[in-house]
Amino acid sequence: MHVVAAFQHQAVACEDLGSPMYAELLRLIVDDYEVGGVSTGVLAGYEDRPFGDAIALRLLAAVHGLVLAGEVPELAAFYPSVGGTWDPVLGWEAFEQTLQSRSAELRVLLTQPPQTNEVGRAAALYGGLLQLVEAVPLPVRLFEIGASAGLNLRADHFRYTADGTSYGPADSPVVFEDAWTGQSLKPAELRIAERVGSDIAPVNPLTAEGARTLTSYVWPDMAQRLERLRGAVEIARQVPADVRREDAVSFVRGLELSQGHVTVVWHSIMWQYLSRDDRAAVDDHLADLGAQATESTPLARLRLEPLPRAVMVELQTWPGGERRTLGRAEPHGQGLVWSAE
């Protein structure tokens, strides 16, 4: 997809998902690009990258990171994430100046893969686990590919309310009001025995730089997402998780089943970043592992990934390999609806 079409498509997505600031800013970048403005130099070489590479989000995050680091105070005045107020005229002027003055640095940052680690997707993980343990009441070994900082590996430490029922710790700093609709879920105590993730470029949320990187990918005018992220970083300081620098194929290849535990492999909105061969390899390794599963060493795969018409929550369990759709959501996890299947 040409960069102009990709940025226009992303602008629509930002508008639909609740970020009028980024929708407007992306369209201003397109206008600038089409007249040969400063953005053409920054984006040179990225003209025809696949939409899944998320070049638009990489650029926005790179600039947001400079704002969060206090390096572009003239632009910070227009970013709500640091107390500013967006203005499409003056804000664009400051953004354009940043593209001009920090062009070389931004081009380096564009090479880095996205690190969204969206906390909102935890509701799908948590709700999926509730439905899994209702059928398989065993302690959970939780493994995540594309884990970024591993924040969602702590999903059971977040608070969720839905249809008059509450789930998770009452004092959690991460709260999801009206977390989902549709089928009612039975509250259950999740016993998480292990929390392990892998990522090709993991982020340490306990460092100032790591927290800033994660925050840079949150859209500046979405206060609730920012609040949840900050709360999740606070929880990460209290609840350990092991996130390894390892690709998805190698990570899955190294997994083993465990007696008396259900081994769960989870991933969310990361499948698009894997090559076709790597996707096939992950599928094959999980199928091989599933062939070894027994009633006392079960395996499950839980995922929140886009299908042609929606982002779906799917659960596959072994022994047997039964696969079913649990619900659907939007890319950041909001609008989660459990099916009555």
Side-chain angles (χ1 to χ4, degrees):
M1 179 181 288
H2 189 271
V3 65
V4 167
F7 275 56
Q8 290 171 331
H9 186 78
Q10 187 62 61
V12 172
C14 289
E15 194 165 54
D16 289 346
L17 294 172
S19 179
M21 172 188 169
Y22 265 6
E24 196 162 36
L25 183 52
L26 285 164
R27 292 181 176 121
L28 290 167
I29 295 172
V30 167
D31 292 343
D32 176 79
Y33 187 93
E34 290 185 320
V35 298
V38 64
S39 62
T40 58
V42 176
L43 296 169
Y46 293 94
E47 290 84 357
D48 294 298
R49 295 283 288 273
F51 179 74
D53 284 357
I55 300 303
L57 295 182
R58 294 190 196 199
L59 177 60
L60 293 174
V63 175
H64 193 193
L66 297 177
V67 169
L68 294 168
E71 297 185 21
V72 283
E74 66 281 359
L75 180 58
F78 305 102
Y79 271 63
S81 55
V82 290
T85 301
W86 172 245
D87 179 280
V89 177
L90 299 178
W92 168 251
E93 291 179 1
F95 190 90
E96 185 181 30
Q97 290 170 6
T98 300
L99 293 185
Q100 181 71 54
S101 62
R102 310 299 286 263
S103 176
E105 183 177 355
L106 291 173
R107 284 185 56 77
V108 171
L109 293 171
L110 280 176
T111 66
Q112 300 178 7
Q115 290 287 359
T116 52
N117 205 203
E118 175 54 50
V119 176
R121 296 170 188 151
L125 169 59
Y126 181 84
L129 287 178
L130 286 182
Q131 295 175 71
L132 172 64
V133 300
E134 183 179 355
V136 186
L138 293 173
V140 174
R141 301 168 67 233
L142 186 58
F143 298 91
E144 182 175 14
I145 55 176
S148 184
L151 298 181
N152 287 337
L153 287 168
R154 288 91 164 180
D156 56 316
H157 286 265
F158 304 162
R159 182 71 167 174
Y160 311 84
T161 64
D163 195 26
T165 303
S166 297
Y167 310 77
D171 60 349
S172 176
V174 179
V175 179
F176 293 84
E177 300 286 355
D178 301 318
W180 54 70
T181 58
Q183 179 185 7
S184 298
L185 303 186
K186 294 181 180 179
E189 181 183 358
L190 292 176
R191 296 170 290 165
I192 309 295
E194 289 184 70
R195 306 171 196 269
V196 185
S198 76
D199 198 277
I200 58 171
V203 175
N204 184 352
L206 306 186
T207 67
E209 181 181 1
R212 185 166 60 246
T213 296
L214 296 173
T215 306
S216 73
Y217 278 93
V218 178
W219 303 347
D221 54 341
M222 299 188 75
Q224 189 175 62
R225 288 180 64 199
L226 288 163
E227 182 180 358
R228 285 176 179 164
L229 174 62
R230 290 163 182 156
V233 170
E234 181 181 335
I235 289 172
R237 299 184 186 280
Q238 308 299 323
V239 181
D242 178 14
V243 181
R244 304 166 183 173
R245 185 179 297 274
E246 190 172 11
D247 66 86
V249 176
S250 299
F251 183 68
V252 172
R253 184 186 292 125
L255 294 180
E256 297 180 351
L257 303 177
S258 175
Q259 184 71 31
H261 297 87
V262 55
T263 299
V264 179
V265 178
W266 153 261
H267 56 90
S268 63
I269 318 296
M270 58 75 64
W271 204 236
Q272 68 199 53
Y273 299 118
L274 297 183
S275 69
R276 182 175 298 180
D277 287 346
D278 284 351
R279 293 180 193 176
V282 169
D283 289 342
D284 289 345
H285 288 313
L286 286 175
D288 290 344
L289 193 62
Q292 305 170 34
T294 67
E295 295 298 329
S296 60
T297 62
L299 173 69
R301 180 184 193 175
L302 184 59
R303 54 183 162 183
L304 175 71
E305 297 288 355
L307 291 177
R309 294 186 179 181
V311 177
M312 307 302 294
V313 187
E314 295 183 317
L315 176 66
Q316 188 171 13
T317 54
W318 293 268
E322 178 188 4
R323 181 172 174 174
R324 62 191 181 102
T325 298
L326 300 182
R328 67 181 187 275
E330 295 179 11
H332 294 148
Q334 71 272 44
L336 177 58
V337 180
W338 298 116
S339 69
E341 184 177 276

